[in-house]
Amino acid sequence: TVALPGTDAADVKAAVEDLAKAGAEVVGAVSMTENWDSQSMAQYRETLASPLASHLTTAAPGDATTDAVIGYALVEVLTSTGSEQDLVSDMLTDASTPILRIDQDPQGKAAAILVIGPRASSSATSGDDSQSGAATPSVSAWAGLARAVASAPSGGVVLADASSSDTMLAQVRAQGVPVTTVDSVGTAMGAFSAVLALGDAGAQARSFGVGEGATDVLPPFPAAH
């Protein structure tokens, strides 16, 4: 699991419990810091992206943004191992300006990635960077990570808030980022839907829930065997 800044620990716990009930093995957990999506840290991320890109064993797409490169670096750290991945991990977790905190090291064993975002009260943009630029999240960071997690071996899902058009998830959906998304984070339905969606995340990207940009309320249930 990947917890984004401001995410409620209870929502991560609920998703992990539902994954376990579904028979999935949760091999690791990491948290992104505010340096990952703060608009005031955009220049730092741009500077960091170049050395990260040079150490990726699978090159990021040519049209990947700075923030997407950071996302692809995260995916490598979660899904593979080696000296290059160790170096990438060191850069992302640098003590002076960390992008990432590793709460439970997956040791490269992750196949599918579930990203969990904050609830409605903290996920919308303020529209006024002059008041709290450091705390204003970047849509580019969200879109870049969302695009990258879809490249995991078994795909990825973003569970977050899309209760209004100015939320990060709604804007990711509006940009047409090819990743499966689930809204209504913080609800039992949201956590359950995310687990269902993760089981089919490697297929066509879809948007589930009842928020802005959703195309279906629930993911399809697995076929009975």
Side-chain angles (χ1 to χ4, degrees), residues 111-130:
I113 298 174
L114 175 59
V115 177
I116 306 170
R119 299 183 185 185
S121 60
S122 57
S123 67
T125 60
S126 68
D128 184 1
D129 294 349
S130 65

Side-chain angles (χ1 to χ4, degrees), residues 34 36-42 45 122-139 141-142 168:
E34 288 189 353
W36 161 72
D37 72 341
S38 168
Q39 290 191 15
S40 67
M41 294 299 291
R45 294 194 298 273
S122 57
S123 67
T125 60
S126 68
D128 184 1
D129 294 349
S130 65
Q131 297 297 316
S132 56
T136 303
S138 163
V139 178
W142 278 67
M168 292 291 102

Side-chain angles (χ1 to χ4, degrees), residues 137-217:
S138 163
V139 178
S140 175
W142 278 67
L145 179 62
R147 177 182 178 183
V149 298
S151 71
S154 297
V157 169
V158 179
L159 168 63
D161 169 51
S163 57
S164 65
S165 61
D166 64 349
T167 57
M168 292 291 102
L169 184 60
Q171 293 184 66
V172 167
R173 286 173 168 177
Q175 288 187 15
V177 179
V179 65
T180 294
T181 61
V182 176
D183 59 52
S184 302
V185 64
T187 69
M189 185 182 80
F192 176 68
S193 294
V195 171
L196 281 180
L198 197 64
D200 194 35
Q204 180 182 3
R206 297 170 69 182
S207 301
F208 301 106
V210 295
E212 293 281 339
T215 54
D216 297 280
V217 175

Side-chain angles (χ1 to χ4, degrees), residues 17-80:
E17 290 175 348
D18 283 354
L19 284 165
K21 291 175 184 176
E25 180 184 4
V26 180
V27 297
V30 301
S31 302
M32 309 305 287
T33 72
E34 288 189 353
N35 295 325
W36 161 72
D37 72 341
S38 168
Q39 290 191 15
S40 67
M41 294 299 291
Q43 183 61 53
Y44 171 74
R45 294 194 298 273
E46 186 173 341
T47 302
L48 181 64
S50 181
L52 281 175
S54 69
H55 291 288
L56 294 179
T57 54
T58 300
D63 63 345
T65 63
T66 293
D67 286 308
V69 169
I70 290 174
Y72 283 105
L74 169 67
V75 171
E76 282 218 354
V77 168
L78 298 180
T79 63
S80 57

